[in-house]
Amino acid sequence: MTNNRRPLISGNWKMNLNHFEALKMVQELSYEVTRDDVDALDISIHPPFTDLRTVQTTLDSDKIPFFLGAQHCHSEKSGAFTGEVSPAMLAKLGVRYVIAGHSERREIFGESDELINAKVRAILAHDMTPILCVGETLEERQAGEAEAKVQAQLKAGLARVKAEQVAELVIAYEPIWAIGTGQTASAEDAQTMCAVVRSVVADKSGSDAAEAVRVQYGGSVKPTNAAELMSQPDIDGALVGGASLEASSFARIVQYRLHDL
Ligand code: PGA
């Protein structure tokens, strides 16, 4: 069955590439990505904060049709929060997508579901699109708790978000054991969990929101597995870490449609 959801392939650079390297990367990517690619799908890149202005001016001046993304933000507009960056600042830079609740933020920086929910609402309030990340650990998967974990993260993450806003969201299912490990979830397991995500959205926000929400898979997405993952009915995109740090591999993921299954 086909749907009207436009695929979104996102490159999360994490704490890699300074602003000179970012400039080079964006230019290389713009040579590799074709008009057909951008007609077929949305592409977002999520550099570190120190690169955002450089990437923004490059995208604007060279008319490169990638969406600017951020990896993180604070939930407040401004204030005494040393070291933090506000959603208002990101919106001013033309940022369109902001990752919220990445497992590295949850695990290394102790971000709670409540905090992530506040960020999701703040990102929406500034007319940007959150990419809300959810996913289970290996222990949770082995204990048969993957679905329950993702359900709980979604319920908390989407609290007090209106159905019409949920419809506009991106949710990334990222099993923690697959992130940066080279171990990808099988396309079948990824599909099962992305379908769970959609059914939680249906319960919470209704079938229109569930039909519209875009669900990405993340966790060791590579040029060699992107086509199979993207062929699954409930997978609408990919959140790519390691493989987005090389222009040619990210471009080949963007071009998954051209690969044989
Ligand atoms: P990876 O990271 O592609 O390097 O596994 C994915 C992510 O953390 O979003």
Side-chain angles (χ1 to χ4, degrees), residues 28-81:
E28 278 175 19
L29 260 182
S30 73
Y31 301 138
E32 303 235 9
V33 169
T34 67
R35 173 53 50 196
D36 279 355
D37 298 331
V38 295
D39 284 347
L41 48 85
D42 293 338
I43 300 163
S44 67
I45 49 174
H46 300 248
F49 287 139
T50 51
D51 301 358
L52 281 176
R53 177 70 173 148
T54 303
V55 173
Q56 179 216 19
T57 52
T58 308
L59 296 181
D60 280 0
S61 62
D62 295 356
K63 300 198 169 33
I64 300 171
F66 304 158
F67 290 104
L68 187 59
Q71 301 174 16
H72 163 66
C73 70
H74 196 271
S75 53
E76 297 292 323
K77 237 198 204 143
S78 61
F81 300 102

Side-chain angles (χ1 to χ4, degrees), residues 10-14 99 102-104 133 172 174-184 216-222 238-245 253:
S10 304
N12 173 13
W13 297 358
K14 307 192 181 182
I99 299 171
H102 190 281
S103 62
E104 286 151 16
C133 301
E174 298 204 299
I176 294 168
W177 46 271
I179 296 178
T181 59
Q183 227 190 317
T184 320
Q216 292 180 317
Y217 167 80
S220 299
V221 175
K222 303 179 268 258
L239 182 52
V240 185
S244 72
L245 294 175
I253 292 171

Side-chain angles (χ1 to χ4, degrees), residues 223-243:
T224 47
N225 59 26
E228 194 187 3
L229 288 160
M230 290 299 294
S231 71
Q232 304 301 314
D234 284 296
I235 300 182
D236 308 314
L239 182 52
V240 185

Side-chain angles (χ1 to χ4, degrees), residues 111-131:
E111 293 193 3
S112 65
D113 278 328
E114 292 66 37
L115 179 65
I116 292 159
N117 173 247
K119 292 182 185 198
V120 165
R121 288 185 288 120
I123 295 162
L124 286 166
H126 288 86
D127 295 325
M128 298 179 290
T129 303
I131 299 181

